[in-house]
Amino acid sequence: MKIDLTDTTAGKINKALVQGRRAIGTPAVGMVLTLVIVTDEENAYDSLKAANDASREHPSRTLVVIKRVSRSPRDRTSSRLDAEVRVGADAGTGETVVLRLYGEAADHADSVVLPLLLPDAPVVVWWPVNAPLDPAKDPLGALAQRRVTDTYAAEEPVRELSARASAYTPGDTDLSWTRITPWRSMLAAALDQVTCEVTAVEVEGEEFNPSCELLAMWLADRLDVPVKRSLSSGPGLTAVRMDTSQGPIVLDRADGSLATLAIEGQPARAVALKRRDTAELIAEELRRLDPDDTYASALRYGVERLNTVPQQASGDPAEPVAEPEPVEEAAKAPAKKAAAKTAKKAPARKAAAK
């Protein structure tokens, strides 16, 4: 069921939600959280479809905030709020409200969203595109316990990781991090099968893919070994090679769906490692609403520290390297040594003569 409201208010939207629930015969509210999606008109459909699919696992009230750009200076000074209320089959297993903000209302989206939040329920804010540099300080982000961004949608994804690290606040997360959950699980399980010491790691994947950098930073942070980041034609992550004291461990996924795990001394085995869609990623993020300390530690490791060799420990000073002598000086060295021996023997000869 859909209810369209033009030039409306938050109070009228709440009344429309109650009216819609009564019309379909489900007056009881059984939702567990409020999901706020901040997007543009172009990406609203795909984002809402992913949220509806995820609501089968996490029944929620979904608020889609679309800030419309006013065309004329007169329109920019006026405010208007249009809403589309969806309940029943049109909203997954929860409720959906699509909010279109015009004029000055777009600058006060938090005031529009606040009366529509479910009482005593967690709030998650998701920016599919155009996420703020500091999500926790954004007016909408300040309302949430969990803030979801996607650095893959940024113009410069790798540089965006550095900005996320400097502005990180507990509760921030990234779908680029969520994408590598199966990789992290598979690599951790592979290391549990052998008793060894990892000496070096190489992560291979397509260029400008922040998931590759995040996986490399996670391995470098956890294993404390040099990690090399190499490029491939993709799709996404393609391979991870770990050099260990017991031989190499290689997880290779060339086609984006089926991977091969090879451990020294064991037969190679095929493992399912398909690329997941956005609905699966959002559903995973909604399973936990506490801060992700592992993500924070990997993010703060820093992209710039990849592809570097650790320096020698300060407690073990490096031995000075002797500078090579010039060719002429090296040639004269034997003559100088012979002259020095003759000079030392001269006083002994004089004493014997006396």
Side-chain angles (χ1 to χ4, degrees):
M1 179 178 180
K2 296 182 181 179
I3 303 174
D4 292 325
L5 302 173
T6 303
D7 196 8
T8 186
T9 62
K12 294 180 180 178
I13 294 173
N14 274 318
K15 290 180 181 179
L17 287 169
V18 175
Q19 176 186 346
R21 287 198 299 267
R22 289 177 177 173
I24 63 176
T26 56
V29 179
M31 292 162 286
V32 297
L33 58 89
T34 303
L35 175 62
V36 182
I37 305 175
V38 187
T39 183
D40 53 18
E41 202 70 61
E42 179 182 358
N43 296 278
Y45 175 80
D46 292 336
S47 304
L48 186 54
K49 184 178 184 302
N52 286 342
D53 292 342
S55 69
R56 295 187 177 93
E57 183 178 343
H58 309 278
S60 59
R61 173 177 289 180
T62 303
L63 306 177
V64 184
V65 179
I66 303 174
K67 300 179 181 180
R68 299 297 299 268
V69 179
S70 302
R71 298 181 179 180
S72 65
R74 180 179 298 177
D75 293 336
R76 296 190 190 103
T77 58
S78 61
S79 298
R80 194 177 92 221
L81 170 63
D82 294 345
E84 182 181 334
V85 178
R86 304 179 184 180
V87 292
D90 295 317
T93 58
E95 300 172 341
T96 299
V97 181
V98 181
L99 304 169
R100 291 180 172 88
L101 286 67
Y102 299 82
E104 293 182 351
D107 298 327
H108 304 281
D110 55 320
S111 300
V112 177
V113 168
L114 187 60
L116 301 175
L117 301 178
L118 289 173
D120 301 324
V123 179
V124 179
V125 178
W126 171 32
W127 291 269
V129 293
N130 302 324
L133 291 178
D134 192 345
K137 291 185 179 179
D138 183 83
L140 286 173
L143 301 175
Q145 288 78 32
R146 192 79 161 166
R147 295 165 292 276
V148 184
T149 59
D150 191 356
T151 51
Y152 188 76
E155 292 184 2
E156 297 181 345
V158 178
R159 182 176 295 182
E160 192 80 5
L161 288 176
S162 301
R164 291 278 176 266
S166 60
Y168 175 80
T169 302
D172 293 352
T173 190
D174 188 350
L175 291 186
S176 295
W177 171 257
T178 316
R179 290 184 180 97
I180 63 173
T181 299
W183 283 83
R184 294 189 292 119
S185 301
M186 195 65 63
L187 292 172
L191 288 176
D192 286 341
Q193 297 180 35
V194 292
T195 303
C196 62
E197 180 180 353
V198 181
T199 57
V201 178
E202 180 179 3
V203 176
E204 181 185 273
E206 64 183 359
E207 192 175 7
F208 306 121
N209 190 317
S211 295
C212 302
E213 267 71 23
L214 282 169
L215 182 62
M217 290 189 290
W218 173 71
L219 289 168
D221 180 52
R222 290 294 165 181
L223 299 177
D224 194 22
V225 296
V227 177
K228 179 183 177 183
R229 169 73 167 92
S230 57
L231 302 180
S232 70
S233 57
L237 270 163
T238 52
V240 174
R241 176 188 175 91
M242 296 186 292
D243 295 330
T244 73
S245 57
Q246 301 296 326
I249 298 176
V250 181
L251 182 59
D252 189 3
R253 186 190 68 177
D255 59 356
S257 60
L258 191 64
T260 301
L261 177 62
I263 302 177
E264 188 73 18
Q266 300 181 16
R269 69 200 74 172
V271 293
L273 206 61
K274 71 180 184 70
R275 305 188 75 190
R276 299 182 294 169
D277 57 20
T278 307
E280 293 181 74
L281 302 177
I282 287 296
E284 178 182 331
E285 283 300 330
L286 296 181
R287 290 185 196 121
R288 56 174 300 173
L289 300 177
D290 57 319
D292 192 341
D293 296 333
T294 306
Y295 164 69
S297 181
L299 186 66
R300 287 170 175 160
Y301 181 85
V303 181
E304 64 281 353
R305 294 176 62 183
L306 298 177
N307 297 323
T308 59
V309 179
Q311 297 182 354
Q312 194 170 9
S314 57
D316 301 326
E319 296 182 359
V321 179
E323 297 182 359
E325 294 181 348
V327 177
E328 295 182 357
E329 294 295 330
K332 295 178 181 179
K336 290 181 178 180
K337 290 181 179 179
K341 290 181 179 180
T342 305
K344 289 181 180 179
K345 292 179 180 180
R349 289 175 180 175
K350 291 181 180 180
K354 290 181 181 180

